Amino acid sequence: MSVTRFHVLSPLSPDAVMAVLTDFSPRRTETWPGIDTDHFEVHGRGEGWAEVTEGNAAAWERGRYEWDIESRTATLTTHESKLFGAGGGWDFRVSDAPEGARIDVALTREPRAFGAKILAGLLPIIGAPGLKRSFAAVFSA
């Protein structure tokens, strides 16, 4: 198992950050640069959850998002992934910051194949800076 952790500061309010995290409308592909329309599908949605496939030709995953607006938390449990298979996911914790919000992110990968294990092992070292830049862009305005 590999865990990649980072945080992003945003000028958005915590409520606005949660709105971005939980928006599964067609706007999602415009907001998140790593998600293209060919690899975005909402399979089901309800109060506090959504089952989606999202990503791009290089890397996509299908999973279940669950969130709690009051506690400002959201998680994605990965059911299927092109690169890593099932297991792991994303964990988001949003808190107040002096100029807006702080988003703490943890990405957990539980790969089974040899190549995926190597990639997952490198994620905390070489992936965190790129992921942080990508998230900072999404939550910048």
Side-chain angles (χ1 to χ4, degrees):
M1 173 174 65
S2 132
V3 180
T4 304
R5 297 179 194 281
F6 59 93
H7 75 273
V8 174
L9 296 176
S10 171
L12 301 176
S13 71
D15 290 341
V17 167
M18 288 301 296
V20 170
L21 284 171
T22 60
D23 179 4
F24 296 98
S25 73
R27 245 183 343 266
R28 193 165 185 87
T29 61
E30 298 165 13
T31 304
W32 295 90
I35 301 173
D36 65 37
T37 55
D38 291 340
H39 294 87
F40 177 65
E41 181 179 352
V42 177
H43 304 282
R45 186 174 8 190
E47 185 67 32
W49 69 272
E51 176 100 12
V52 301
T53 298
E54 59 188 358
N56 53 56
W60 56 264
E61 68 185 309
R62 179 177 178 161
R64 181 180 175 95
Y65 280 90
E66 294 183 354
W67 61 86
D68 181 347
I69 298 297
E70 286 185 31
S71 68
R72 298 177 177 159
T73 60
T75 60
L76 167 65
T77 302
T78 302
H79 297 299
E80 182 182 6
S81 167
K82 178 178 181 177
L83 297 177
F84 299 103
W90 296 82
D91 183 51
F92 304 95
R93 308 267 176 223
V94 182
S95 56
D96 292 313
E99 304 273 329
R102 175 183 167 126
I103 306 109
D104 288 284
V105 182
L107 167 61
T108 304
R109 292 297 185 207
E110 297 184 18
R112 289 165 184 77
F114 179 73
K117 286 180 182 181
I118 291 172
L119 181 58
L122 292 173
L123 269 175
I125 301 162
I126 61 171
L131 289 168
K132 185 173 182 169
R133 278 190 303 277
S134 174
F135 275 72
V138 168
F139 296 109
S140 66

